C-alpha cells in the first residue's frame, strides 16, 4: 500500500502503523482455543487427519455445550486438501514422474500444488497430488 501510494499519489498514505496480535476466524470472531476456532500452525505444516482436528478443536472448551456446533462447523470449513489423507508420502525410489503416473496427474501440477521449484523430493516428504 505504501509503494502504491508513493507511485500513484507521490506520498505515503499513512504515517503510523499499529500491529496487534488479534487474529479473527472466517466468521470475524476472535480466534481462541477455548472457543474451538483455532488451528495449530504445526498441524497445517505436518498435516492432520480431519477426525483428529475435529477432536482437538472440540476439547477443553469454556462452553462444552458448543462442542457439537464446533465439530459441525469444522467439517464444513476445513477443506479436504488441508488434511493428511490427500497427501502422498514419498518413499524410497519415488520420482515426481512415478508419483504423477501413479495418480494420473502431471509433474507440473504436483510442483505447483506443493510450491516445488525443482524436481528434488525427499523420502518422507508429503506431496499433494491433485
Amino acid at each position: 500500500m505504501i509503494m502504491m501510494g508513493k507511485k500513484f499519489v507521490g506520498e505515503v498514505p499513512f504515517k503510523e502503523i499499529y500491529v496487534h496480535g488479534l487474529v479473527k476466524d472466517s466468521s470475524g470472531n476472535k480466534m481462541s482455543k477455548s472457543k474451538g476456532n483455532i488451528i495449530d500452525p504445526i498441524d497445517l505444516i505436518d498435516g492432520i487427519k480431519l477426525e483428529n482436528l475435529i477432536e482437538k478443536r472440540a476439547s477443553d472448551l469454556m462452553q462444552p455445550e458448543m462442542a457439537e456446533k464446533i465439530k459441525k462447523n469444522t467439517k464444513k470449513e476445513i477443506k479436504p486438501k488441508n488434511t493428511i489423507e490427500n497427501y502422498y508420502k514419498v518413499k524410497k525410489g519415488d520420482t515426481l514422474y512415478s508419483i504423477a503416473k501413479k495418480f494420473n496427474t502431471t509433474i507440473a501440477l504436483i510442483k505447483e500444488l506443493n510450491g516445488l521449484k525443482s524436481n528434488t523430493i525427499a523420502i518422507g516428504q508429503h506431496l499433494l497430488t491433485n
Side-chain angles (χ1 to χ4, degrees), residues 104-119:
N104 196 28
T105 187
T106 65
I107 294 172
L109 181 60
I110 292 174
K111 287 174 74 172
E112 180 183 336
L113 289 171
N114 295 284
L116 300 175
K117 292 182 174 37
S118 72
N119 290 343

Side-chain angles (χ1 to χ4, degrees), residues 15-57:
K15 302 287 183 213
E16 295 179 20
I17 299 172
Y18 297 96
V19 179
H20 59 84
L22 181 66
V23 179
K24 295 185 176 187
D25 67 6
S26 60
S27 303
N29 299 315
K30 177 183 170 187
M31 292 186 93
S32 165
K33 180 166 177 13
S34 59
K35 289 183 179 181
N37 63 352
I38 62 138
I39 296 178
D40 186 345
I42 299 300
D43 291 338
L44 291 177
I45 294 166
D46 292 341
I48 186 170
K49 290 187 176 187
L50 184 57
E51 297 81 27
N52 295 350
L53 177 62
I54 291 168
E55 195 57 41
K56 193 172 188 180
R57 289 180 92 180

